[in-house]
Amino acid sequence: MMTCKEILESLSSLVDSDLKKEIVVEMERHIGKCSDCRAEFDTLTMTLKLYKHVADTPVPSDCHDRLIKVLEIEKMKSKQGGATPGDGPPEV
């Protein structure tokens, strides 16, 4: 019998269908009986469904440009030995 911790650690694999049939059956049995694990499973599947609906929405160009600048700054920091403790994200 799988524990809640094992179930929660394997939820992504369950959703991705990356598990053996025996494990899937055991997980589904557990999720059917355990309201906490069922809530986590339902939340994950709903999040994925919602994400798929907005995945094709383009990122606004100004947001894209700011993101690229932040990533470039972070890349430069890591090449220079990283940020000092207490450094937050750069203001953009």
Side-chain angles (χ1 to χ4, degrees), residues 4-57:
C4 290
K5 181 180 179 185
E6 292 169 325
I7 297 293
L8 296 177
E9 289 173 349
S10 301
L11 278 182
S12 291
S13 296
L14 177 65
V15 171
D16 293 339
S17 302
D18 288 341
L19 297 171
K20 294 181 182 177
K21 185 176 180 176
E22 304 83 39
I23 295 174
V24 170
V25 169
E26 189 172 345
M27 288 182 73
E28 288 174 345
R29 187 178 310 127
H30 180 99
I31 290 170
K33 294 177 182 177
C34 178
S35 61
D36 291 338
C37 289
R38 180 67 183 177
E40 290 291 331
F41 175 75
D42 289 345
T43 300
L44 177 61
T45 55
M46 183 57 70
T47 300
L48 291 172
K49 286 178 186 177
L50 291 171
Y51 175 76
K52 287 178 183 179
H53 288 291
V54 297
D56 294 332
T57 304

